Amino acid sequence: MFVLRPTVAGHPRVLWLRPNRALDKRGLRRTIIGLAAIALATAALGAWQGNVFAPVFALLEAFAVGFALGAAWRAGGKGERIAIGPDTLEVRAIPGHRTVRFQTYWVRVGLKQGDGRQRLLLTSHGNELEIGAFLGEEERAEVSRKLMVLLSEAGQSRR
């Protein structure tokens, strides 16, 4: 998913890249609680029929599933902020403090096959940076087109 922030006079254009999330934090909690309740109800039925270890394994499963879903949800919090000014294109990884800057005039946007998928690359002066690795193929192509338009507009505003 990508979002282009509205233009504010005197500030760079900002493009946010974020992975798609199906649930918010509240929905994630409800899903984990629901799955745990179903597992424990099934385990209680098994214990009632004589399998005394079923509740123990159900608790272990509930914690493992909850941990895995939480880890997948946290990975969905990654993103990138791309600020395009008249002279500089800046890519900041979120969360984190990794920032890469390119000169707007020299940066090139391209899609390149690699690792069994299409990669969206920014290149300038021998430096190469992949952006939007978490996006789908169509989204990467759309971001590529949008970045080319924004870089063209930034180059025209410089003149």
Side-chain angles (χ1 to χ4, degrees):
M1 171 175 80
F2 71 93
V3 177
L4 180 63
R5 295 290 177 207
T7 305
V8 178
H11 293 285
R13 299 289 307 258
V14 177
L15 183 66
W16 290 89
L17 305 180
R18 299 195 90 84
N20 291 325
R21 273 190 175 167
L23 294 174
D24 60 355
K25 199 169 197 172
R26 185 174 168 197
L28 175 70
R29 278 194 208 119
R30 287 182 177 179
T31 300
I32 291 172
I33 289 170
L35 289 173
I38 291 169
L40 290 173
T42 304
L45 182 63
W48 178 65
Q49 293 179 350
N51 184 358
V52 294
F53 295 112
V56 174
F57 289 116
L59 280 173
L60 288 174
E61 178 205 11
F63 282 118
V65 168
F67 179 78
L69 286 174
W73 189 83
R74 282 187 299 278
K78 290 191 256 180
E80 293 167 341
R81 177 185 180 269
I82 303 170
I84 303 167
D87 298 321
T88 308
L89 180 139
E90 179 183 279
V91 180
R92 176 175 290 158
I94 299 171
H97 301 290
R98 185 193 73 164
T99 301
V100 179
R101 288 182 180 86
F102 295 102
Q103 292 176 348
T104 305
Y105 183 75
W106 294 104
V107 70
R108 298 293 172 250
V109 180
L111 292 168
K112 182 177 171 184
Q113 284 299 116
D115 300 330
R117 62 182 177 84
Q118 226 175 13
R119 299 172 61 206
L120 177 56
L121 299 172
L122 299 176
T123 56
S124 176
H125 293 92
N127 297 324
E128 189 173 78
L129 176 68
E130 181 178 4
I131 60 171
F134 45 79
L135 297 174
E137 297 285 327
E138 298 84 22
E139 288 177 314
R140 276 194 290 272
E142 195 173 338
V143 168
S144 170
R145 288 189 296 273
K146 190 65 175 174
L147 276 174
M148 287 181 203
V149 168
L150 291 172
L151 286 169
S152 173
E153 289 173 0
Q156 290 174 359
S157 70
R158 250 180 103 198
R159 293 178 191 159

